[in-house]
Amino acid sequence: MIAMTQTQLQQFIAHAKTCLPEEACALLLGEQTEAGKRVREVYITENIDHTNEHFTITPQAQLKAMKYARTKGWMVLGNIHSHPETPARPSEEDKRLAVDPRMSYLIVSLMAEVPSCKAFRAAEYHSEPEELNIITEEN
């Protein structure tokens, strides 16, 4: 299970809309608790591919995010990216690149008027849904 606030999700959706027609991406920073993963910050990154079909976060941006997370006592929990024209489900490329079962992979679909978001985990050459808990208040 991964939890994030409605505000965090809305901030990413607003960013993703500014990136249209390209995919937007970010890293999820936070804590691993007994209850599951708790996102504390959505760390916006650049999609260096500049395409609507996939995204790449540079190793330098990933390292910078990891260092920043450590200063807060957090860790990288996974990533979030947008699908400008397709549903919130992993593409074949998403499945191929989602190789770490400890990470959460969130996808926001912008194809409908109201965006939707779903979470997944890597599971031996495919993906499995992960429970996503959108909370209204900061705890």
Side-chain angles (χ1 to χ4, degrees):
M1 192 271 301
I2 185 164
M4 69 188 309
T5 66
Q6 182 69 31
T7 299
Q8 290 167 331
L9 179 57
Q10 289 307 317
Q11 287 171 340
F12 180 76
I13 290 170
H15 168 70
K17 287 180 177 180
T18 69
C19 293
L20 289 171
E22 299 173 0
E23 286 192 4
C25 53
L27 294 170
L28 303 171
L29 309 181
E31 304 163 307
Q32 177 71 53
T33 68
E34 288 184 20
K37 299 172 190 160
R38 176 64 169 85
V39 175
R40 295 295 175 186
E41 186 171 328
V42 176
Y43 188 92
I44 301 297
T45 58
E46 178 186 3
N47 174 4
I48 63 164
D49 294 334
H50 298 287
T51 177
N52 65 339
E53 295 180 352
H54 50 84
F55 72 98
T56 299
I57 301 170
T58 67
Q60 295 86 350
Q62 292 177 48
L63 184 58
K64 185 176 178 184
M66 289 169 53
K67 287 180 177 180
Y68 171 74
R70 270 191 240 133
T71 69
K72 302 281 193 176
W74 303 336
M75 59 194 295
V76 176
L77 302 173
N79 68 52
I80 183 169
H81 75 279
S82 63
H83 280 185
E85 303 161 351
T86 57
R89 66 174 177 250
S91 66
E92 288 306 311
E93 183 167 350
D94 291 335
K95 292 175 192 176
R96 184 177 57 79
L97 296 174
V99 296
D100 190 339
R102 298 168 297 174
M103 296 289 129
S104 295
Y105 301 93
L106 277 63
I107 300 172
V108 172
S109 173
L110 300 174
M111 67 183 282
E113 187 173 326
V114 176
S116 62
C117 183
K118 294 187 179 173
F120 301 89
R121 286 189 327 255
E124 208 169 310
Y125 307 112
H126 68 280
S127 64
E128 293 180 349
E130 180 176 17
E131 182 183 348
L132 174 60
N133 186 11
I134 304 298
I135 52 181
T136 56
E137 292 183 33
E138 188 69 37
N139 309 8

